[in-house]
Amino acid sequence: QVQFVESGGGLVHAGGSLRLSCAPSGSIFRAYAMGWYRQAPGNKRELVALITSGGSTNYADSVKGRFTISRDNAKNTLYLQMNSLKPEDTAVYYCNAPTGGWDSTLVLVSWGQGTQVTVSS
């Protein structure tokens, strides 16, 4: 069964940077668009960055210009470079392959554990 393993989260001060990684198992990675989602306490899970199999990217307005999504198909790894972090970026971050629209949380496989990002003010 394909699963996703997210890593790279941590505690940083506002203005700091983190790079998240996602290593899907199996062979689906190269064929699908991949996304980074986040969920803060009391909030719905939201898609914040998307990259297609061809490398085109799209971002939520809240992270545009600060976050960069990338993929290394040779390494089967998805990345999210997060710069200029703000306290409102605090959330658990997940990766998955979206199967619905931007506002949907329909995804290809079961959610992983995610990685916690905490930004202090």
Side-chain angles (χ1 to χ4, degrees):
Q1 182 178 354
V2 176
Q3 292 187 333
F4 297 97
V5 180
E6 302 91 350
S7 62
L11 172 63
V12 295
H13 292 297
S17 298
L18 283 173
R19 188 174 84 153
L20 307 183
S21 299
C22 165
S25 62
S27 61
I28 70 164
F29 181 77
R30 300 181 187 185
Y32 289 88
M34 292 292 298
W36 282 100
Y37 298 76
R38 69 183 181 188
Q39 186 168 20
N43 290 359
K44 295 191 305 181
R45 192 166 300 184
E46 61 175 349
L47 179 63
V48 297
L50 174 75
I51 186 167
T52 67
S53 58
S56 298
T57 59
N58 199 11
Y59 299 92
D61 288 342
S62 58
V63 307
K64 198 170 294 184
R66 300 187 298 120
F67 289 12
T68 302
I69 188 172
S70 61
R71 65 194 299 163
D72 185 335
N73 288 337
K75 295 182 179 179
N76 264 10
T77 304
L78 181 73
Y79 302 101
L80 185 68
Q81 178 66 44
M82 306 187 296
N83 298 329
S84 303
L85 282 162
K86 304 176 181 179
E88 50 263 44
D89 294 320
T90 296
V92 179
Y93 285 71
Y94 305 85
C95 68
N96 213 314
T99 58
W102 184 266
D103 293 326
S104 169
T105 54
L106 292 174
V107 292
L108 191 66
V109 302
S110 299
W111 294 101
Q113 298 285 335
T115 186
Q116 175 71 49
V117 171
T118 303
V119 184
S120 63
S121 57

